[in-house]
Amino acid sequence: MKQFLGYLRPTVLFGILVVALYSPPVSAYTTEKGTITLKDSTVYENVSYTVDRRLKTISFKFENKKKVVSFTDVTVIVDSNGEDVTESVVGDHYRQRGGETWKSADSDVHREARRKLYKIGFSWGGNYCFPLGDYYEGFQSGFGFDGNIIVPFTHNTAFRASISYAGIRPEDGLAYLVTDNYVDFYLLDDYNISTWKYSLSAQFYGAFNRDEPSVLYYVYGGFGGVTSKLEADQTYLASNPLYNLTTRIESTETKFITTMGAGLDFLIDQDLGFNLGACLDILWLGNGDQSDVYYVYDEMNLAYHFDIQFGMVLLLK
C-alpha cells in the first residue's frame, strides 16, 4: 500500500501542474462598463466591454457590431461614474515609452486568427443543373432547389451539409428502342426523372474585409450521393400491333459522388444576404453500369452535374 501511494503522489502532483499550466486564470477576463476613446479619436460611449489580459485586448459591441481593440489603441477609459480607469484596466500597455514604435500584434491575432465570422449559417435557394456525360443522354438542364447548413469550427474552416433537388428533365419526345436477345423489341418513352443530391463537405471561408464584412467567399469539397428515380412507359412491340402491351416501369439508382464548389455571400446587413455560387458533382458509375429504364454505354464510368446556385444566406452570430 505504501509503495502504491508512493507512485500515486507524484502522478497526482503532475496532473495538478498540467491543469495549472493549461487552465486560463480566472482573472484573465473581466467585464466592465464605460466610455472608451481610442488614439484615432474614435469614441465608444457607454459600452459593456470585456478585458482579455492574456491577449491584451478589449472587446465590446457597438451598434450591434463586435469590436476588438488592443490595449495599445486606447487613449482613455472612463467608467460609468466619470472616473478615469485607464491605468487600472490596461496598465502600462497604453503608454508607449520613448522610442517605442511597436504595433498591437495581439489585437491582430485575436481578430484575424481566433474570431469566427458567425456561429452557424443557413443558405437556401434555387439552382440550374447541367447534366453531363453519356449517362444522361436524352436528358437536359432544368431548375431545382437546394439547402445548406454551415457550421464553422475555426476562424476560416467549417462543416457543410447540403441537400438539393436537381431539375433534370427528359428532352421532348425522348424514346429508346431496345431489344431483348435481338428478338423482342421494346419502346421506352414518356419519361419522368426525380434526382436528389446530398453531401458532406469541408469548407474554407473568409471575408474580403474582416473588420466590416460585407462580402464573404467560400470554397468546399466533399462527398455524398445522388439518388435518381426514373419512370417510363415500356411498350412490347408485337408482330401484330393489336397485341402491343404497355406497362409503367421504374428504376431507382444511388451513385457515390465527390463534390466541389465555390461562391460569394453578399450581406445586406450583418446577418442576411444573397448567395451566388457554382458546384460540380462527379458521379462514380463503375464500368458496365446500365439502367433498367434507359440505355447507357458499357464503358462509361463518370457523369457530372454542374450547378449554378443562387438564393439567400442567414448567418447567426
Side-chain angles (χ1 to χ4, degrees):
M1 186 66 177
K2 289 182 179 181
Q3 186 177 8
F4 171 74
L5 292 176
Y7 286 118
L8 181 62
R9 187 178 293 109
T11 303
V12 172
L13 292 176
F14 177 75
I16 294 173
L17 178 61
V18 170
V19 171
L21 288 174
Y22 288 93
S23 297
V26 176
S27 60
Y29 304 93
T30 57
T31 301
E32 305 290 345
K33 191 170 186 179
T35 298
I36 301 173
T37 302
L38 303 184
K39 292 179 180 178
D40 62 2
S41 300
T42 305
V43 179
Y44 299 100
E45 295 184 356
N46 197 30
V47 294
S48 294
Y49 58 89
T50 300
V51 180
D52 187 335
R53 302 190 185 283
R54 294 181 303 169
L55 293 175
K56 307 299 186 293
T57 58
I58 300 173
S59 59
F60 54 90
K61 277 193 174 182
F62 186 75
E63 296 181 350
N64 292 324
K65 294 181 180 179
K66 186 176 180 180
K67 303 286 184 180
V68 180
V69 299
S70 169
F71 283 1
T72 57
D73 297 330
V74 174
T75 297
V76 63
I77 301 176
V78 177
D79 67 11
S80 55
N81 297 320
E83 296 184 7
D84 185 343
V85 294
T86 313
E87 188 165 0
S88 64
V89 174
V90 303
D92 290 334
H93 295 282
Y94 79 104
R95 257 194 221 111
Q96 288 181 322
R97 305 185 186 279
E100 291 182 335
T101 57
W102 43 281
K103 298 180 179 180
S104 53
D106 287 330
S107 178
D108 293 338
V109 169
H110 180 79
R111 181 170 59 251
E112 298 296 335
R114 288 178 171 81
R115 179 165 62 92
K116 300 175 185 178
L117 292 178
Y118 52 91
K119 293 181 180 178
I120 186 170
F122 302 91
S123 65
W124 67 95
N127 65 60
Y128 194 77
C129 178
F130 297 88
L132 306 171
D134 293 333
Y135 186 71
Y136 288 110
E137 181 186 358
F139 292 85
Q140 59 186 341
S141 307
F143 286 98
F145 53 86
D146 60 75
N148 307 276
I149 300 176
I150 305 99
V151 183
F153 52 88
T154 72
H155 68 289
N156 60 6
T157 55
F159 168 82
R160 181 186 184 97
S162 306
I163 184 169
S164 66
Y165 177 81
I168 300 173
R169 55 195 177 91
E171 296 177 353
D172 295 337
L174 173 64
Y176 288 104
L177 185 65
V178 297
T179 62
D180 182 5
N181 294 326
Y182 301 97
V183 176
D184 296 324
F185 291 85
Y186 296 89
L187 177 66
L188 299 178
D189 60 359
D190 192 20
Y191 283 85
N192 181 52
I193 182 171
S194 174
T195 301
W196 287 90
K197 303 187 293 183
Y198 34 89
S199 62
L200 301 175
S201 304
Q203 176 172 297
F204 177 88
Y205 73 100
F208 290 107
N209 181 0
R210 195 173 178 89
D211 289 331
E212 299 291 339
S214 58
V215 181
L216 309 183
Y217 60 86
Y218 61 86
V219 295
Y220 62 88
F223 60 91
V226 169
T227 297
S228 296
K229 180 180 179 180
L230 287 91
E231 297 178 326
D233 284 343
Q234 177 178 272
T235 301
Y236 170 69
L237 302 177
S239 56
N240 185 342
L242 294 177
Y243 295 100
N244 288 355
L245 178 64
T246 299
T247 57
R248 190 70 173 173
I249 61 173
E250 67 176 45
S251 173
T252 300
E253 296 182 338
T254 298
K255 302 300 180 184
F256 175 79
I257 66 169
T258 52
T259 184
M260 63 193 75
L264 297 171
D265 296 327
F266 301 91
L267 302 183
I268 55 179
D269 65 21
Q270 62 177 349
D271 298 320
L272 187 66
F274 298 99
N275 169 260
L276 179 63
C279 174
L280 176 65
D281 301 316
I282 303 174
L283 286 70
W284 298 85
L285 306 176
N287 293 326
D289 266 15
Q290 186 164 337
S291 168
D292 293 333
V293 174
Y294 63 99
Y295 175 79
V296 297
Y297 295 98
D298 290 339
E299 297 301 322
M300 69 175 165
N301 55 17
L302 293 177
Y304 307 90
H305 290 169
F306 180 72
D307 292 358
I308 301 296
Q309 302 167 329
F310 45 89
M312 303 292 294
V313 59
L314 174 65
L315 306 178
L316 304 182
K317 300 181 179 180

